[in-house]
Amino acid sequence: MSRGEFELIERYFTGLGARRPDVVLGVGDDAALLRPPPGCELVATTDTLVSGRHFLASIPPQSLGHRSLAVNLSDIAAMGAEPAWALLSLTLPAVDEGWLAEFAAGFAALASAHAVALIGGNLSRGPLAITVQLLGLAPAGAALRRYGARPGDSVFVTGTLGDAAAGLLVERGELAAAGADAASLIERYRRPTPRIAAGQLLRATASACIDISDGLYADVGKLAAASGCGVLLDVARLPLSAALLAAGGQRAQRLALAGGDDYELCFTVRPERVAALVSSWPAALCAVSCIGTATAERGVALANGTAADGAALQGYDHFRSH
Amino acid sequence: MSRGEFELIERYFTGLGARRPDVVLGVGDDAALLRPPPGCELVATTDTLVSGRHFLASIPPQSLGHRSLAVNLSDIAAMGAEPAWALLSLTLPAVDEGWLAEFAAGFAALASAHAVALIGGNLSRGPLAITVQLLGLAPAGAALRRYGARPGDSVFVTGTLGDAAAGLLVERGELAAAGADAASLIERYRRPTPRIAAGQLLRATASACIDISDGLYADVGKLAAASGCGVLLDVARLPLSAALLAAGGQRAQRLALAGGDDYELCFTVRPERVAALVSSWPAALCAVSCIGTATAERGVALANGTAADGAALQGYDHFRSH
């Protein structure tokens, strides 16, 4: 262990990600100085990844760097906001500079792609864990919320569901998949795609929005509860990838409902806006699929699915035993 | 383990700390929404406390809640800024609701005292660690930096030095102290006092400022290096508390130079401003002591001290082995 925290931060964290003119002072002082634009609200979120709980030890450090930022970007996406500045707290059992360089590269690539500047951070010794804090910007009053859905609204999701959960099972040896399918499912688990552009497009259209980190069933339930309504999901309409259908078979539907870590957006749209959303949505961005309807009756109900009780679908809670 | 993350966060984190009208949306959505005032710069910092490394398992949870916020407040103080909004990431080996309630109470008391609102957070299961991210505000262009000292500037510190390091030794049974002294030193270690008001006062006066977390010798060295100058410390003028003198004896000076965790401010002042600072400083706030001079020659030199080499005084680095 030849380098101290100060030197390591200088070496691996300075200038990481995008260069932004609104960063007055970045890594290297007691705190960073930032200049938010007038008329904006600040959007702030944080997420922690703990080794063995939120990722497997087998994850390549580049993917872990990507993932630790992606899960936070997903929260910013769910608010319809634009990401701007990140802080990174890394707790490592020992310094491995090769590992650090790869982790930083994975973090930096995703940060640069979304114009995020790393503005500060710290290194501690301890069991491997990563906490990222991400700050974003949204025009005042325009950010999306979890609440705002009304009975009759259509329920949509971006992308496909269940891939990440299947990828985790494949990685653990609990699900068999052909080579290309296995690779694509594992990639979806390790390197989720935050739906930043989709979230910003939805500011004009969605009545409520949440990102799916704990599984569709659990998270759409939170959106419904926050909105004071319920949701009826049409299980036959859940968007499933070819890889999930091939590998998951009869488990695919259940993985799409209960599996966590998809980091897709789930959102609601007033009936009169559905046609415009569907016809104007840029297909190149990602798919959007209508999967149900908001209801007056509270709770999450399922239509057209193999029956499963709600408790079994409650998805991943980082604080329960599994 | 009867409660999930969602419920625990609702129960212990919602509404913690001050109520601020600039919090548009706090704990409970994918991210918080904040409205920074016009004309301000945003000040952002984060610090992690890992069990066994940054605190002893014997620390009462109330003190740990205080301490995890205080170390971040200290960074905001060093910038001369006003703290505003905090995010809290807690990693716990198991849920102990009594522990959580006490931790939250300690955090909340200090947050309320400094008008800080807790706006978000997360709970994970894993080895005990706490990461806080703190956002503050400063008038544009007015924040203090580590750089800006010039040869001839006077070097000052707030409060007294070495108490926290002595407190840690007492707690570990490595230093004997009389009852009241022991209690006061341990308290200084467990519950540091962030110098928020002092930092804000210094905006008009200091040419550079840093908080002392890794020990005076190490941290004044960072201020000097960032400023492109050196520092000559008059060791005879280090402010030492009566408790430290009584318990530390011959070790007191060394603890004041090398001990970490004091969270006092070290700052420099142009010669022509020294008299005004000293005569107008509100004594009720905290002591300020002149302890040296900035020099053209790089590095940290010591006058009037028992000789000690720099390496031995480098203080606490959270990433080196001790």
Side-chain angles (χ1 to χ4, degrees):
Chain A
M1 181 99 41
S2 63
R3 293 169 191 282
E5 179 189 5
F6 194 66
E7 229 176 314
L8 288 165
I9 287 176
E10 283 275 306
R11 184 168 178 132
Y12 293 104
F13 290 178
T14 307
L16 214 68
R19 294 189 179 273
R20 296 179 59 100
D22 52 17
V23 177
V24 180
L25 191 64
V27 171
D29 213 300
D30 286 299
L33 293 175
L34 312 166
R35 200 167 283 156
C40 269
E41 279 168 5
L42 203 62
V43 187
T45 186
T46 182
D47 242 320
T48 297
L49 301 184
V50 177
S51 181
R53 181 143 285 265
H54 304 101
F55 59 90
L56 301 177
S58 55
I59 191 171
Q62 277 221 8
S63 298
L64 187 58
H66 173 106
R67 184 172 167 80
S68 62
L69 180 57
V71 301
N72 283 279
L73 282 167
S74 182
D75 284 325
I76 298 291
M79 308 297 287
E82 176 196 323
W85 310 298
L87 295 159
L88 169 63
S89 299
L90 254 181
T91 304
L92 301 175
V95 170
D96 173 339
E97 295 205 31
W99 189 98
L100 263 176
E102 282 190 51
F103 178 92
F107 189 99
L110 187 62
S112 297
H114 289 287
V116 170
L118 184 71
I119 53 155
N122 64 77
L123 276 177
S124 308
R125 194 200 293 258
L128 180 59
I130 305 112
T131 300
V132 171
Q133 309 82 42
L134 191 58
L135 298 170
L137 300 163
L144 296 168
R145 326 279 175 107
R146 283 187 186 180
Y147 58 88
R150 288 203 302 242
D153 285 3
S154 289
V155 179
F156 281 82
V157 288
T158 59
T160 57
L161 300 175
D163 298 329
L168 176 58
L169 291 177
V170 171
E171 219 179 330
R172 279 185 181 156
E174 294 167 22
L175 185 71
D181 290 340
S184 106
L185 295 172
I186 289 175
E187 182 75 357
R188 284 272 286 163
Y189 175 66
R190 288 182 175 173
R191 299 169 58 87
T193 303
R195 300 298 186 190
I196 293 289
Q200 288 178 43
L201 268 182
L202 290 172
R203 277 208 307 256
T205 313
S207 52
C209 186
I210 191 170
D211 76 321
I212 305 178
S213 54
D214 299 337
L216 171 66
Y217 186 89
D219 288 323
V220 79
K222 290 176 202 160
L223 181 152
S227 300
C229 63
V231 160
L232 175 64
L233 293 181
D234 183 347
V235 179
R237 297 171 74 179
L238 298 182
L240 308 179
S241 71
L244 180 65
L245 284 168
Q250 292 195 316
R251 295 164 77 177
Q253 212 171 65
R254 193 185 169 82
L255 288 168
L257 274 173
D261 296 311
D262 283 322
Y263 298 102
E264 298 293 349
L265 299 181
C266 176
F267 57 97
T268 53
V269 180
R270 299 271 186 265
E272 64 273 20
R273 293 188 163 187
V274 167
L277 171 80
V278 172
S279 64
S280 69
W281 188 261
L285 204 57
C286 60
V288 287
S289 309
C290 181
I291 57 168
T293 314
T295 57
E297 197 187 347
R298 300 291 189 103
V300 181
L302 303 177
N304 298 321
T306 50
D309 68 297
L313 295 173
Q314 263 309 329
Y316 192 81
D317 183 316
H318 301 301
F319 229 91
R320 289 187 198 274
S321 312
H322 287 268
Chain B
M1 181 99 42
S2 63
R3 293 170 192 278
E5 179 190 3
F6 194 65
E7 229 176 314
L8 289 165
I9 288 177
E10 283 275 308
R11 183 169 178 131
Y12 293 104
F13 291 179
T14 306
L16 215 66
R19 295 192 177 271
R20 296 179 58 99
D22 52 16
V23 177
V24 180
L25 191 64
V27 171
D29 213 300
D30 286 300
L33 293 175
L34 311 166
R35 200 168 283 156
C40 268
E41 279 168 7
L42 203 63
V43 187
T45 188
T46 181
D47 242 320
T48 297
L49 302 183
V50 178
S51 181
R53 181 143 285 265
H54 303 100
F55 59 90
L56 302 177
S58 55
I59 191 171
Q62 278 220 8
S63 298
L64 188 57
H66 174 105
R67 184 174 168 78
S68 62
L69 179 58
V71 301
N72 284 278
L73 283 167
S74 182
D75 284 325
I76 298 291
M79 308 298 285
E82 175 197 324
W85 310 298
L87 295 158
L88 169 64
S89 299
L90 254 182
T91 305
L92 301 176
V95 171
D96 173 340
E97 295 205 31
W99 189 98
L100 264 176
E102 280 191 52
F103 178 92
F107 190 99
L110 188 63
S112 298
H114 290 286
V116 170
L118 183 72
I119 54 156
N122 64 77
L123 275 177
S124 309
R125 194 200 293 256
L128 180 59
I130 305 113
T131 300
V132 171
Q133 308 82 44
L134 191 57
L135 298 171
L137 300 163
L144 296 169
R145 326 280 174 106
R146 282 187 188 180
Y147 59 87
R150 288 202 305 240
D153 285 4
S154 289
V155 179
F156 281 83
V157 288
T158 59
T160 57
L161 300 175
D163 298 330
L168 176 59
L169 291 177
V170 171
E171 217 177 332
R172 278 184 182 157
E174 294 167 21
L175 184 71
D181 291 339
S184 107
L185 295 171
I186 289 175
E187 181 75 357
R188 284 274 285 162
Y189 175 66
R190 288 182 175 172
R191 299 169 59 88
T193 304
R195 299 300 185 189
I196 293 289
Q200 289 177 42
L201 268 182
L202 290 171
R203 277 208 306 256
T205 312
S207 52
C209 186
I210 191 170
D211 76 321
I212 306 178
S213 53
D214 298 337
L216 171 66
Y217 186 90
D219 289 324
V220 78
K222 290 176 201 158
L223 181 153
S227 300
C229 65
V231 160
L232 175 63
L233 294 181
D234 183 347
V235 179
R237 297 170 75 178
L238 298 181
L240 308 179
S241 70
L244 179 64
L245 284 168
Q250 291 194 318
R251 295 165 77 178
Q253 211 171 66
R254 195 187 168 81
L255 288 168
L257 274 172
D261 296 312
D262 283 320
Y263 297 102
E264 297 293 348
L265 299 180
C266 176
F267 57 97
T268 54
V269 180
R270 299 269 186 267
E272 65 272 20
R273 293 190 164 186
V274 167
L277 171 79
V278 172
S279 64
S280 70
W281 189 261
L285 205 57
C286 60
V288 288
S289 309
C290 181
I291 58 167
T293 314
T295 57
E297 197 186 347
R298 300 292 190 103
V300 181
L302 303 177
N304 297 321
T306 51
D309 68 299
L313 296 173
Q314 264 307 328
Y316 192 83
D317 183 317
H318 300 301
F319 229 91
R320 290 187 198 275
S321 311
H322 287 268

